[in-house]
Amino acid sequence: MTDYDIRKRLEAALRSRAGQARTDHPLSYAQSPLLMLHQMNPDSASYNVAFTARFTDGFDSAAFRGAVQSLVGRHAALRTTFGRVGADGQGDTAGRQTVHGWLEPDFAEPDARQWSEQRLKDAVRTAYREPFDLTTGPLVRVRAYQVADGEAVVLLVLHHVVCDFWSLGVILAELEQLYLAEAERRPSQLPGRNVPYSDFVTYQHGLIAGEKGGRARAYWQEQLSGRLEPAEWPRFELDPADADEGGSIVFPIAAELAQGVFALAKEEGVTPYAVLLTAFQVLVGRYTGQRDVLVGTPMAGRTDPAMAECVGNFVNPVVLRADLSDAVSFREQLGRTRRTVVEALEHQDYPFELIVGELAPRRVDDRNPVFQAMFSYQKPSRYPALAGLYIADEGAAPVAWAGLTALPYRLDQQDDQLELVLEVVHDGDRLVGLLKYRKSVFSAEAARQATGNYLALLRAALADPGRGVAELPLATEVDRGTTPARRAVDVTPRSGPAGAALSALERRVTAVWQQVLGREAIGPDDNFFDLGGSSRLLMQVHTILADEDAEKPLKVHELFRYPTVASLARRLAPAAAADATGPARGRASSRRVQLADGTARSARLRARERHRPDSDGGKDV
């Protein structure tokens, strides 16, 4: 028996013993809403983070399995499970995460050598869309589809609660070294210890409570003061069958445009991110007719250098506000963007969900609070080759990986969490666009026109940066004459005489709300969110009222559907249990749920294809 064999047996024995070890930690602010969303929709796969590639030139499944096991051993986040929010029955909404000494990853090697290409694609998509159980784990799923001798299509899936886009770069870089070590039957040369994600949680809570957190809070309170009007998109002819889905379009950015972006960025002392973002803000302004444009962008959230090699969910969205009212030149607007982004970077550590909870913007049915459009710039710093493998467009080149060749393998993205999202991927000297859109707002044709309009704006701005932003031409004019009014959460009073006596259930619900919200004056038709409620506080309501109806226990997502005392009391009434089809007045949208802590997500999310949700683009400005 070789030294390698002895070492592997020892590792297996240690893992078996370590499996009994448990340590509990609080959640980060990025994890809390994801845990609540999972509780509302445990069968959803919308927050699955995926990487796919076809490996050739001698792929060894056994070596890859060993590399994945070593990776899981190196990163505590990959051995984590999560308790239910409010599970202690005491109204605790913080939630907990448990790090296991060992948690075996879900690894399988299907024999696909006789499969058609379509069967293979269907199998990859099905495995990708399979939901995770956050309470039992594991939250790492790997499939190595053997398509030929020494060749496999690999799918790596993790839940977003333990992984972000930066983390994918860390994972791919470490897997390469771990795979080489396994293939060569030797120890890897990687450092022996990674900072655990729980260190970041401690760091984040301390930062928020300190002076820096106070400055960041004050900055965002001032930056987002005033009316935060939701975007009003034009009405497009839509396919009713697509109302609950999202779509995506990959589109190339011509080489001369990409070079123009790099050149203008250098000339103006900004980054390509700022140039591309400014053009997108102008596009959103044209489509919505608004001059006060609010666009979200994800920040990497790794302001502590010690966290650079840590796997976990660090991403925090920030709001970039653009004033287009005075129609200055694109060059001057670009300067404004740079200043805004630099300030946002400086104050990026303050969690978005806290900001929204403090601002308490007016609830608008079916929409993300504060911003409905997002821009991200994907330029992986930890593992640059991830860019081409992630976008997997026709121009993406094969990548050398651990003595193998990794070929891009396309996995379509279907994402409707926001109404319009533009990602620009920086792959070497290439720029590639990915537009994601909600099909209940944009048709496929309207989305294609939006990509054409973005490129037209960008081309005109690069040709003459001194031209006014209001004068930059679109490829296709947008008709705003049919813009629909967006519907606010319905708080229409119920029928009946004013001041009518409350029922016993209404008094019960009112008492619970008074306890949770800490206020006395609550009427039967008041909206929970208008009274200062948040998704975290709503979890306390659920903990208290979950078993009120023994025949039909109250589900978390139903609390979003019945946001008034009167409507919730009707749901809890015995008669309501027999008729689940009529929540009546005071009901918020049942298709999507607005979380008052800043993460508006679907209450009936279907398992849609999703390749990657986050970006480290906010770092490169």
Side-chain angles (χ1 to χ4, degrees):
M1 183 179 295
T2 67
D3 290 344
Y4 173 83
D5 294 325
I6 294 174
R7 180 170 61 84
K8 298 304 288 185
R9 286 193 175 186
L10 180 60
E11 286 180 0
L14 291 175
R15 286 168 180 165
S16 177
R17 292 184 180 182
Q20 304 305 313
R22 306 281 193 279
T23 56
D24 286 346
H25 305 278
L27 303 177
S28 71
Y29 284 96
Q31 290 177 316
S32 296
L34 292 174
L35 179 56
M36 286 184 284
L37 287 164
H38 177 77
Q39 289 183 200
M40 287 184 280
N41 302 276
D43 296 329
S44 170
S46 288
Y47 294 93
N48 289 4
V49 179
F51 167 80
T52 52
R54 184 187 294 263
F55 289 96
T56 63
D57 302 329
F59 180 81
D60 183 338
S61 284
F64 194 74
R65 179 193 287 267
V68 171
Q69 289 178 322
S70 296
L71 178 80
V72 170
R74 289 176 55 78
H75 294 282
L78 305 183
R79 306 189 308 275
T80 302
T81 57
F82 296 83
R84 293 178 59 83
V85 172
D88 65 354
Q90 303 300 316
D92 177 18
T93 61
R96 304 289 291 177
Q97 55 185 319
T98 300
V99 176
H100 300 249
W102 178 247
L103 195 61
E104 186 71 21
D106 178 5
F107 191 103
E109 308 165 55
D111 185 350
R113 286 174 290 187
Q114 303 302 317
W115 292 5
S116 66
E117 191 63 29
Q118 186 58 52
R119 181 181 176 186
L120 176 63
K121 289 181 179 179
D122 291 343
V124 171
R125 183 179 297 109
T126 298
Y128 159 66
R129 295 174 63 174
E130 182 181 348
F132 286 104
D133 187 337
L134 300 192
T135 61
T136 63
L139 305 186
V140 180
R141 180 183 309 129
V142 180
R143 298 291 180 266
Y145 297 91
Q146 305 298 309
V147 295
D149 292 340
E151 182 174 342
V153 170
V154 170
L155 168 71
L156 171 66
V157 193
L158 307 98
H159 195 280
H160 185 29
V161 75
V162 297
C163 182
D164 57 18
F165 188 68
W166 182 299
S167 296
L168 279 183
V170 174
I171 287 171
L172 288 179
E174 291 197 358
L175 274 179
E176 183 173 20
Q177 297 302 313
L178 294 169
Y179 177 88
L180 276 172
E182 291 291 333
E184 297 171 1
R185 302 173 69 82
R186 60 167 175 79
S188 77
Q189 303 302 311
L190 291 171
R193 180 182 182 274
N194 284 294
V195 175
Y197 184 76
S198 57
D199 281 12
F200 166 71
V201 178
T202 302
Y203 167 83
Q204 182 184 51
H205 284 268
L207 183 146
I208 293 169
E211 182 181 349
K212 185 176 180 180
R215 290 197 304 268
R217 178 181 182 274
Y219 170 80
W220 289 114
Q221 289 280 350
E222 179 180 357
Q223 184 71 8
L224 299 178
S225 62
R227 295 179 62 85
L228 303 176
E229 294 295 340
E232 293 288 353
W233 307 105
R235 172 175 287 174
F236 302 103
E237 187 173 346
L238 306 175
D239 182 353
D242 288 340
D244 285 339
E245 297 183 356
S248 64
I249 299 174
V250 175
F251 62 98
I253 297 178
E256 65 271 17
L257 271 184
Q259 291 306 312
V261 169
F262 301 145
L264 180 61
K266 183 177 181 180
E267 177 184 339
E268 296 299 319
V270 299
T271 61
Y273 167 86
V275 176
L276 296 162
L277 167 63
T278 303
F280 183 66
Q281 290 172 323
V282 174
L283 178 77
V284 173
R286 291 290 186 84
Y287 268 70
T288 62
Q290 293 170 318
R291 295 296 175 258
D292 180 19
V293 175
L294 300 165
V295 170
T297 194
M299 293 287 180
R302 297 173 188 253
T303 52
D304 182 355
M307 303 297 170
E309 303 300 313
C310 180
V311 168
N313 181 3
F314 292 79
V315 168
N316 183 46
V318 300
V319 186
L320 303 178
R321 198 168 194 170
D323 179 7
L324 303 179
S325 62
D326 50 359
V328 297
S329 70
F330 185 83
R331 178 179 282 111
E332 185 171 344
Q333 192 67 40
L334 180 57
R336 292 177 176 179
T337 299
R338 180 187 184 281
R339 289 189 294 273
T340 300
V341 172
V342 168
E343 291 175 358
L345 274 171
E346 183 181 351
H347 302 98
Q348 66 171 292
D349 290 303
Y350 201 74
F352 179 68
E353 63 170 301
L354 289 183
I355 297 168
V356 175
E358 293 161 0
L359 294 174
R362 171 65 180 170
R363 308 297 304 166
V364 179
D365 187 24
D366 198 23
R367 314 195 74 189
N368 194 69
V370 184
F371 65 88
Q372 294 78 46
M374 175 175 277
F375 176 83
S376 67
Y377 183 61
Q378 310 278 25
K379 187 182 179 183
S381 56
R382 182 60 180 85
Y383 193 75
L386 175 59
L389 295 174
Y390 164 67
I391 198 70
D393 65 313
E394 293 181 357
V399 173
W401 190 88
L404 309 174
T405 299
L407 303 172
Y409 189 89
R410 179 71 182 157
L411 182 63
D412 289 336
Q413 303 180 65
Q414 304 293 326
D415 183 354
D416 75 338
Q417 295 169 20
L418 289 167
E419 289 154 24
L420 194 67
V421 177
L422 176 61
E423 298 182 15
V424 177
V425 179
H426 189 157
D427 179 26
D429 58 357
R430 297 191 317 136
L431 294 177
V432 182
L434 172 62
L435 189 78
K436 296 188 285 189
Y437 60 95
R438 190 186 294 181
K439 290 185 177 180
S440 62
V441 178
F442 289 86
S443 65
E445 177 60 26
R448 282 191 292 270
Q449 287 182 356
T451 65
N453 281 332
Y454 177 72
L455 293 175
L457 286 171
L458 186 60
R459 187 180 300 276
L462 295 175
D464 183 5
R467 193 171 183 178
V469 292
E471 301 171 358
L472 298 175
L474 298 176
T476 305
E477 289 301 322
V478 180
D479 180 8
R480 293 197 42 77
T482 56
T483 302
R486 297 289 179 177
R487 181 167 60 88
V489 172
D490 185 3
V491 290
T492 304
R494 58 183 174 154
S495 58
L502 298 180
S503 69
L505 275 174
E506 286 175 332
R507 290 194 298 273
R508 167 68 170 149
V509 173
T510 299
V512 171
W513 282 19
Q514 288 171 333
Q515 173 186 338
V516 170
L517 293 171
R519 59 189 303 164
E520 291 298 323
I522 297 177
D525 299 302
D526 286 340
N527 185 289
F528 183 81
F529 298 107
D530 290 339
L531 297 174
S534 68
S535 55
R536 291 189 177 213
L537 294 177
L538 207 62
M539 298 306 299
Q540 294 187 34
V541 174
H542 180 259
T543 299
I544 299 171
L545 295 177
D547 298 326
E548 197 76 18
D549 181 353
E551 295 292 325
K552 185 184 177 187
L554 185 68
K555 304 297 184 183
V556 175
H557 68 82
E558 290 184 286
L559 292 172
F560 292 93
R561 296 178 60 197
Y562 303 92
T564 67
V565 168
S567 63
L568 183 55
R570 285 193 292 271
R571 158 61 183 88
L572 295 173
D579 180 13
T581 62
R585 296 186 185 96
R587 166 180 173 172
S589 169
S590 63
R591 189 179 74 82
R592 290 182 60 87
V593 173
Q594 300 291 309
L595 293 187
D597 59 11
T599 48
R601 303 292 191 250
S602 171
R604 295 190 303 144
L605 284 168
R606 299 165 59 185
R608 305 182 177 97
E609 291 92 342
R610 180 181 176 86
H611 203 61
R612 196 284 320 156
D614 289 311
S615 147
D616 65 317
K619 290 284 289 185
D620 183 35
V621 295

